Structure formats: C-alpha cells, structure tokens
Amino acid sequence: MRVGLGRDVHRLAPGRRLLLGGVCISEECGCVAHSDGDCLIHALMDALLGAAALPDIGVLFPCDDEKNRGRDSCKMLREVVKMVRNRRFRIVNVDLMIQLEAPPVNPFFSAIRERLSPLLGSEGSVIGLKATTAEGLDSVGNGKAVEVFCVCLLEEEI
Ligand code: MG
C-alpha cells in the first residue's frame, strides 16, 4: 500500500468559470490559472503522483509551457492515471477536502463523482468528497481563493 498527499490553491476572480472535478461550480467567480484551474483535479493528481513516487504536476505540466494554457485538467488526470497504472498501481481510494467560502459545493458531489470515476477507472464509492468554509478567516475565508487537499491510497499489483 502507498499513501499520497496533494494540495492546491488558486486565486479567485470574477468573470471566470470555477471548475472542480471537471464540473462547473460557478460561472461568476473562478480560478486564476494557466490551465483551466481545476484545483480539485490538481490536488488529486499530485496525491496520485506522490503515492507512486512520480514527479509532481509542476514538473509534468509546467505553467510556462504554452501547450498547457487553458488545458483541460480531466485530460491531464487521464495521463496521470495511465502513468500510475504503468507503475502497476491500483487506486484503492481517494479522499478530497474542498475549502471554499461560496457557493456551497455539496450539491455538486454526485456530478463530480460521476465525472471522476471513469477517469480514475474506479467506482464512485472510492471517491471521498468533503467541503468546508474557512469561517471568514484567511484568503479562502475572504472568498479570494479556493483550496483543495487530497490523500489517496494505491495498492501495488502483484
Ligand atoms: Mg493548480
């Protein structure tokens, strides 16, 4: 068994789409990012890569590379899962914690699970999703940022 940890944070700005787990959460206020800014998928990819002892997303998908501009994070996740599988690891479970002041993310959990499970090649039941606010504290609490933490467990196939 191998455990992995990932974390990502993005600034929020008006007039952008907020994507989390490949699902549009808001059309009014979204992430400032080089890629599509899907903070949840970025944290998830780093957790998977960390568990497999592979290079992180900053190395695999550099933000100064033009081909990553506006890039679909779901496609990057597909590549990462392929790399993890090539190392002969199976995803046992992933657990995600979203920190966002608004809007509430819970109503989107089933849509996020539906979007992620085929990409992970796993049942939706192995994807843990939780959301919390930061109680008005720090940049997340002030609605200026979204932050996601992820842990995952991989099992080596024998
Ligand atoms: Mg990111």
Side-chain angles (χ1 to χ4, degrees):
M1 292 288 192
R2 307 269 292 241
V3 69
L5 169 68
R7 177 255 185 185
D8 194 28
V9 62
H10 278 269
R11 277 189 295 129
L12 294 171
R16 292 164 186 267
R17 296 176 80 208
L18 175 58
L19 285 171
L20 289 175
V23 173
C24 181
I25 305 295
S26 168
E27 299 272 1
E28 277 133 49
C29 192
C31 288
V32 178
H34 183 73
S35 70
D36 67 359
D38 195 320
C39 193
L40 185 149
I41 293 186
H42 297 176
L44 172 55
M45 290 192 289
D46 265 345
L48 294 170
L49 290 165
L54 288 163
D56 68 29
I57 57 168
V59 173
L60 295 177
F61 311 107
C63 61
D64 56 359
D65 188 339
E66 268 312 301
K67 83 171 183 228
N68 293 325
R69 182 178 294 279
R71 194 160 175 189
D72 181 350
S73 294
C74 290
K75 288 185 181 155
M76 292 194 260
L77 176 58
R78 197 171 282 141
E79 280 182 44
V80 164
V81 169
K82 199 183 286 178
M83 291 171 71
V84 166
R85 289 248 178 77
N86 286 344
R87 290 275 173 119
R88 306 189 61 77
F89 288 117
R90 181 182 77 82
I91 298 166
V92 178
N93 77 308
V94 302
D95 191 16
L96 291 139
M97 164 64 81
I98 302 161
Q99 279 206 287
L100 180 67
E101 211 60 15
V105 194
N106 304 51
F108 298 94
F109 281 178
S110 56
I112 294 172
R113 273 200 185 87
E114 261 172 53
R115 186 78 183 96
L116 291 182
S117 26
L119 296 171
L120 295 176
S122 306
E123 299 288 317
S125 59
V126 309
I127 303 168
L129 285 163
K130 299 178 300 304
T132 184
T133 67
E135 299 273 327
L137 300 165
D138 69 35
S139 50
V140 173
N142 291 325
K144 290 181 180 157
V146 55
E147 185 170 28
V148 180
F149 292 91
C150 180
V151 289
C152 73
L153 198 65
L154 303 183
E155 183 177 32
E156 203 162 1
E157 288 176 331
I158 38 168

